[in-house]
Amino acid sequence: MAFDFDFELLRELTETSGAPGYEDRIRNVVRRELEEEVDEIRTDAMGNVVGTIEGESNYEVAVPAHMDEIGFMVTHVNEDGFLSIDSLGGWDSRILRAQRVTVHAEDEDLTGVIGSTPPHLLDDDEDEQDVSDVYIDLGLSAEEAESRVSVGDIVTMEQTTTRVGDHVSGKALDDRVCLFAMLEAAKRIENPSVTIHFCATVQEEIGLRGAEALGVDVDPDLAVALDVTVANDIPKVKYEKDYVTRLGEGTAIKLKDGSVVTSPKVHRRMRELAAERDIEHQLEVLPSGGTDTAGFQNTHGAKPVGAISIPTRYLHTVTESAHGDDISATIDLLTAFLETETGEHDYRL
C-alpha cells in the first residue's frame, strides 16, 4: 500500500545535506515548498526560515522544526591524505565504521569512506570509541587531497531514503520527517483564526541555537514544536516499561524531555483533539535530550508550549526509521490543532 503523503518530497528532504550552521541546501528546499503556501517568508542572519500565514486575529503561534542534521567538520588533512574530523552534533562513533560520506569542499562534493581496521589486525580489546579516532579516506593522493579539501569543510553521511515494509528509513529523519510534517500542514491550512509562523530552525543539534534566537525575534503567544523521539521498541530493550514510544501506535504528544515540561493545558487540548478526531496517538515521556520546544518556552518571557513527536528507531544513525502511519497521524494532529486554535484558549496555569 502506498503512503498517503508525498514520499518523494520526504525523500528529497532527508537526502539533502545540511549540517549545523551550513543548512543552505535544505533551506532552499524549504523556501521553495513554503513560498506558495504562506503570505510572507523571510530568512534571518542565522539562516532560520519563517513562513507566515496571516490570521484573523493578532494571536500568534510558532511551529518550529529544525533543518540541521548531525555532521562533521574537517580539522586536518594528514601527510597520507586522510581527513580528521570533529563532530557537529551527538554521534555514536560505533555506527561510523564502513560508512560512505560526502565532503562538501568549496567547489565540489567529494565522496569518501570511513574505514575500519580489519578484524585480522585487531587485539581482542581494541575498539574505536571516539570521533577523534575516525578518519576519512578520499581515495586521493596526499597532494590532491590537500589541494581539494580545506580545514572547515563540512562532512555529511551519504545514504538513500527508502521504504522498508511500513517504515521509512534513511539518514536525517531527525528532523527532516518533522520538517516534512510542518510543510504538509502549511499546505492544508486555509484562513486560520490566528497568525501562524512556520519556523524551519538551524543549529538545533548543537544546542537549540536557532530556536532560542527565534523565540526572541518571533515572540509568539504559543509555540508547538515538532521533533522526532525515541522509539526503543526493539529486542535489545528488555522491559516494555523502558520503551519511550512504539512505532505504529500513532503520533506522540510530548509531556516532557530533558529540556522542557510542556504546558499541561496545551498537551491536554492535543489529547482531547486527537481523541475527538480519531487520530492515533501516544504519550511521550523522554528522560533526556532536548528539543526546540525549550528554545521557545522562556527565551523571551514565559510562553505556553506544546510538542508533537514522530516515534523513530535508531536515532542518530543512517538507518533512522519511522512508521508511515505515525507520520500521517502527526500531520493530521498538527493540522487539526492549528485549524482549531482561536487564540481564546487560556493556557495560563
Side-chain angles (χ1 to χ4, degrees):
M1 182 182 296
F3 293 128
D4 61 354
F5 52 79
D6 187 350
F7 177 71
E8 290 308 313
L9 175 57
L10 177 56
R11 187 205 302 271
E12 181 183 11
L13 288 166
T14 51
E15 292 183 0
T16 300
S17 64
Y22 294 83
E23 297 91 351
D24 308 66
R25 298 183 188 195
I26 190 67
R27 181 164 44 247
N28 290 338
V29 178
V30 170
R31 287 190 63 99
R32 181 197 75 202
E33 293 297 314
L34 271 181
E35 277 176 337
E36 297 300 317
E37 311 300 333
V38 299
D39 298 311
E40 179 187 2
I41 192 166
R42 64 181 176 86
T43 304
D44 65 16
M46 289 185 71
N48 296 299
V49 178
V50 180
T52 301
I53 299 178
E54 297 291 345
E56 298 173 3
S57 74
N58 293 326
Y59 192 91
E60 299 182 45
V61 181
V63 183
H66 70 90
M67 291 186 286
D68 57 313
E69 64 183 292
I70 50 177
F72 307 95
M73 182 177 285
V74 175
T75 61
H76 181 66
V77 183
N78 79 7
E79 60 185 9
D80 295 314
F82 291 91
L83 311 183
S84 297
I85 53 177
D86 187 33
S87 61
L88 290 169
W91 281 104
D92 179 349
S93 60
R94 295 174 302 170
I95 63 95
L96 296 178
R97 300 184 187 124
Q99 297 287 352
R100 191 170 288 120
V101 301
T102 301
V103 179
H104 304 280
E106 183 176 357
D107 299 318
E108 60 182 331
D109 286 348
L110 302 170
T111 296
V113 296
I114 298 174
S116 61
T117 306
H120 319 68
L121 303 179
L122 287 175
D123 296 331
D124 289 341
D125 60 350
E126 187 176 353
D127 198 13
E128 295 173 330
Q129 292 294 331
D130 301 315
V131 172
S132 60
D133 296 322
V134 170
Y135 296 89
I136 294 175
D137 184 350
L138 293 174
L140 300 174
S141 67
E143 182 179 4
E144 190 168 2
E146 288 181 358
S147 70
R148 297 170 71 176
V149 178
S150 300
V151 170
D153 286 345
I154 298 301
V155 180
T156 56
M157 306 303 285
E158 189 174 301
Q159 181 64 282
T160 57
T161 298
T162 189
R163 180 169 185 158
V164 179
D166 295 326
H167 300 175
V168 175
S169 182
K171 74 168 184 69
L173 266 70
D174 180 7
D175 188 34
R176 307 285 172 68
V177 67
C178 291
L179 195 63
F180 171 73
M182 184 193 79
L183 294 172
E184 292 298 289
K187 294 173 183 179
R188 297 185 187 184
I189 298 293
E190 295 182 3
N191 303 316
S193 298
V194 298
T195 294
I196 304 171
H197 303 288
F198 293 98
C199 305
T201 64
V202 298
Q203 300 189 40
E204 189 272 353
E205 294 290 359
I206 54 175
L208 318 183
R209 298 177 184 182
E212 289 178 349
L214 279 182
V216 176
D217 292 345
V218 174
D219 190 21
D221 298 291
L222 167 68
V224 178
L226 305 172
D227 210 333
V228 296
T229 191
V230 173
N232 48 359
D233 54 336
I234 56 175
K236 185 72 173 178
V237 179
K238 184 175 181 180
Y239 299 108
E240 292 185 12
K241 69 179 180 62
D242 295 324
Y243 294 171
V244 176
T245 61
R246 295 172 180 261
L247 259 64
E249 294 197 358
T251 188
I253 297 172
K254 184 187 293 291
L255 305 185
K256 74 168 288 286
D257 60 31
S259 67
V260 71
V261 175
T262 58
S263 304
K265 290 185 178 180
V266 177
H267 69 66
R268 285 173 192 153
R269 189 168 94 78
M270 288 180 178
R271 294 159 70 175
E272 291 168 359
L273 188 57
E276 178 185 315
R277 299 287 182 94
D278 292 325
I279 299 171
E280 290 293 326
H281 63 286
Q282 52 193 308
L283 302 181
E284 175 200 357
V285 177
L286 183 64
S288 61
T291 60
D292 279 349
T293 323
F296 278 83
Q297 188 175 44
N298 55 14
T299 301
H300 199 208
K303 295 288 190 301
V305 294
I308 304 173
S309 306
I310 296 181
T312 306
R313 289 178 186 163
Y314 321 124
L315 285 173
H316 286 206
T317 75
V318 295
T319 55
E320 295 174 333
S321 298
H323 197 291
D325 290 346
D326 298 342
I327 297 171
S328 296
T330 300
I331 299 168
D332 291 344
L333 181 57
L334 176 62
T335 303
F337 187 89
L338 296 175
E339 286 179 338
T340 57
E341 181 55 62
T342 62
E344 298 174 356
H345 296 96
D346 183 4
Y347 296 120
R348 292 173 299 176
L349 300 178

